Amino acid sequence: MKMDSKRFNRLLKTLKKRSRSFDVLYEYYLHRIVYHITRYVGSDRVAEDVAHEFFTQLLASDKTYEVEYPTTWVYRLCERIAVRMLKREDKEFDLPDTTETDCFAHIVLESEVRDALNERLDPQAREIVYLRYWEGYTLKEIADMMKLEYENAKKICQRAMKTLKPYI
């Protein structure tokens, strides 16, 4: 069954009162989180740790959320958890390998482009490029996720692509 925002928000509100709400969220998102974070950081172990940390924090939180894009919200929180975990382990963050068939993804497999992504772009620009070209989010969705104005996200993406152009 699809997880729309209305159902997701209802489950979030009843999370602490009904264990079934947690079970539904866990069953729906666990494998999605692990898959997404594995692609994000390149490690199954970290991805599983991130998923479990996400659900632990979700249960422990006293905040009430009203989420418009549930999957985007979940992925974004998990990405933040992953980055914190990697920083704690003193590992350098690297964009994941990809096997997608679109033209840009094939180009990114080349090492000089990968190096340019990591060395020439700041973390915010790198994340926007990743979300746009690997995950397929629209600039509007990215702006919402990152709490940026649409025009700002668009300009950051354009500047990042201009920076990467010599390597593509």
Side-chain angles (χ1 to χ4, degrees), residues 69 72-73 76 79-80 123-158:
Y69 302 106
T72 301
W73 183 80
R76 182 71 174 121
E79 289 165 5
R80 288 180 185 165
Q124 185 180 44
R126 187 170 54 233
E127 184 172 3
I128 289 173
V129 169
Y130 171 78
L131 291 170
R132 179 85 170 108
Y133 295 101
W134 272 272
E135 297 300 321
Y137 289 105
T138 65
L139 285 173
K140 170 80 171 107
E141 291 170 325
I142 293 168
D144 290 343
M145 280 191 309
M146 296 180 71
K147 300 197 182 335
L148 298 170
E149 294 293 324
Y150 170 78
E151 288 299 319
N152 194 11
K154 182 178 171 183
K155 285 181 183 177
I156 292 169
C157 187
Q158 287 171 342

Side-chain angles (χ1 to χ4, degrees), residues 54-165:
F54 168 76
F55 287 111
T56 301
Q57 288 181 14
L58 192 62
L59 275 176
S61 176
D62 290 332
K63 296 180 182 177
T64 56
Y65 302 98
E66 189 65 32
V67 179
E68 188 175 352
Y69 302 106
T71 301
T72 301
W73 183 80
V74 169
Y75 287 172
R76 182 71 174 121
L77 289 177
C78 289
E79 289 165 5
R80 288 180 185 165
I81 293 168
V83 168
R84 280 195 305 269
M85 282 184 177
L86 290 173
K87 282 182 181 177
R88 268 188 252 133
E89 294 177 7
D90 273 336
K91 289 187 178 176
E92 181 177 319
F93 176 73
D94 192 17
L95 286 172
D97 288 330
T98 182
T99 58
E100 293 189 26
T101 58
D102 70 54
C103 181
F104 187 82
H106 280 320
I107 293 168
V108 171
L109 289 172
E110 298 175 16
S111 64
E112 62 186 40
V113 176
R114 179 176 300 280
D115 292 343
L117 282 168
N118 288 323
E119 294 170 9
R120 305 232 187 299
L121 298 181
D122 63 86
Q124 185 180 44
R126 187 170 54 233
E127 184 172 3
I128 289 173
V129 169
Y130 171 78
L131 291 170
R132 179 85 170 108
Y133 295 101
W134 272 272
E135 297 300 321
Y137 289 105
T138 65
L139 285 173
K140 170 80 171 107
E141 291 170 325
I142 293 168
D144 290 343
M145 280 191 309
M146 296 180 71
K147 300 197 182 335
L148 298 170
E149 294 293 324
Y150 170 78
E151 288 299 319
N152 194 11
K154 182 178 171 183
K155 285 181 183 177
I156 292 169
C157 187
Q158 287 171 342
R159 284 188 203 124
M161 294 311 293
K162 187 176 181 180
T163 301
L164 296 175
K165 190 173 183 174

Side-chain angles (χ1 to χ4, degrees), residues 29 49 163:
Y29 280 108
D49 290 347
T163 301

